[in-house]
Amino acid sequence: GDSVTQMEGPVTLSEEAFLTINCTYTATGYPSLFWYVQYPGEGLQLLLKATKADDKGSNKGFEATYRKETTSFHLEKGSVQVSDSAVYFCALSDYGGNQFYFGTGTSLTVIP
Amino acid sequence: GAVVSQHPSWVICKSGTSVKIECRSLDFQATTMFWYRQFPKQSLMLMATSNEGSKATYEQGVEKDKFLINHASLTLSTLTVTSAHPEDSSFYICSAIPTSGVQETQYFGPGTRLLVL
């Protein structure tokens, strides 16, 4: 069945460091891929998405490219800020949005 | 756009009482809404899929008589935790998919933190 695997945290970085959070997926169809972010005490917010192979999603300096050959959707940011401290969830949507799968989440802490 | 609200944001109740949580899509209609539960430092656990005008579809292991879901309109779904017990204490999050437009994106509410004493 479909599934999402993302790197375990927690991740601690200094401000302005480069961030990569790995995400790989398994899907039987042609899924859409998402990154959601959850700030402390809040619900999830859509960060970015990609709906087909080779698409690049980007938002707030974050980027992720849909790689079908490696079944990956790694999240990257060139220079993190303290305000980026949150939990990041990779997710996929299959069968036209009728099934959603989330990774376990990766906690990121950025220190000044 | 695509704002989802939840009410209440925080609720504390005594064991044995029932608690109703509302999930509203404020600026779009949503035929489908989802209810999730999140334990501390863990991922989301899908509890059920709520479809307007029909019965909810519950995930395996979720008691439908314990967690009552009603999706009476295209902008409102409610989750009622019946006879709540301390083990039901959790963070409950709803999400909604717009009826029109891109079907694949879920928009999440801010969550409701339930503490059962």
Side-chain angles (χ1 to χ4, degrees), chain B residues 38-56:
Chain B
Q38 185 181 33
F39 293 99
K41 299 184 179 180
Q42 294 189 27
S43 188
L44 302 167
M45 183 191 81
L46 179 63
M47 298 175 66
T49 302
S50 171
N51 295 301
E52 187 268 338
S54 63
K55 290 184 179 180

Side-chain angles (χ1 to χ4, degrees), chain A residues 11-94:
Chain A
V11 174
T12 303
L13 294 174
S14 297
E15 204 165 21
E16 298 184 3
F18 184 85
L19 168 72
T20 299
I21 301 178
N22 291 336
C23 171
T24 57
Y25 67 91
T26 303
T28 52
Y30 299 93
S32 294
L33 302 174
F34 305 83
W35 277 100
Y36 284 88
V37 58
Q38 184 179 32
Y39 297 102
E42 299 183 13
L44 274 69
Q45 299 175 28
L46 177 64
L47 180 59
L48 54 85
K49 67 177 183 180
T51 58
K52 61 183 188 297
D54 299 326
D55 270 3
K56 176 186 282 188
S58 61
N59 185 27
K60 299 181 181 179
F62 291 89
E63 291 183 342
T65 302
Y66 189 141
R67 302 284 188 201
K68 190 175 181 181
E69 63 276 13
T70 54
T71 62
S72 65
F73 193 56
H74 305 321
L75 182 68
E76 297 183 334
K77 186 174 185 181
S79 176
V80 294
Q81 305 300 313
V82 172
S83 57
D84 295 326
S85 298
V87 180
Y88 293 82
F89 292 92
C90 185
L92 76 80
S93 164
D94 209 346

Side-chain angles (χ1 to χ4, degrees), chain B residues 39-74:
Chain B
F39 293 99
K41 299 184 179 180
Q42 294 189 27
S43 188
L44 302 167
M45 183 191 81
L46 179 63
M47 298 175 66
T49 302
S50 171
N51 295 301
E52 187 268 338
S54 63
K55 290 184 179 180
T57 304
Y58 290 82
E59 296 299 302
Q60 193 173 10
V62 178
E63 299 176 61
K64 61 181 180 181
D65 295 330
K66 172 81 172 171
F67 299 98
L68 300 178
I69 292 172
N70 185 300
H71 194 153
S73 78
L74 287 172

Side-chain angles (χ1 to χ4, degrees), chain B:
Chain B
V3 177
V4 176
S5 70
Q6 282 185 240
H7 177 79
S9 55
W10 242 117
V11 56
I12 302 173
C13 69
K14 291 184 179 180
S15 185
T17 60
S18 295
V19 176
K20 179 185 282 188
I21 302 170
E22 294 185 348
C23 176
R24 292 182 185 272
S25 55
L26 297 185
D27 50 2
F28 64 96
Q29 292 185 330
T31 305
T32 303
M33 292 184 172
F34 300 92
W35 286 96
Y36 294 86
R37 185 173 179 177
Q38 185 181 33
F39 293 99
K41 299 184 179 180
Q42 294 189 27
S43 188
L44 302 167
M45 183 191 81
L46 179 63
M47 298 175 66
T49 302
S50 171
N51 295 301
E52 187 268 338
S54 63
K55 290 184 179 180
T57 304
Y58 290 82
E59 296 299 302
Q60 193 173 10
V62 178
E63 299 176 61
K64 61 181 180 181
D65 295 330
K66 172 81 172 171
F67 299 98
L68 300 178
I69 292 172
N70 185 300
H71 194 153
S73 78
L74 287 172
T75 59
L76 174 64
S77 176
T78 61
L79 168 69
T80 301
V81 183
T82 62
S83 187
H85 288 91
E87 59 266 29
D88 299 324
S89 298
S90 192
F91 193 46
Y92 293 89
I93 304 175
C94 74
S95 71
I97 298 179
T99 302
S100 60
V102 177
Q103 293 292 304
E104 303 158 312
T105 303
Q106 292 185 66
Y107 295 94
F108 286 83
T112 296
R113 197 165 299 280
L114 170 63
L115 177 61
V116 185
L117 303 177

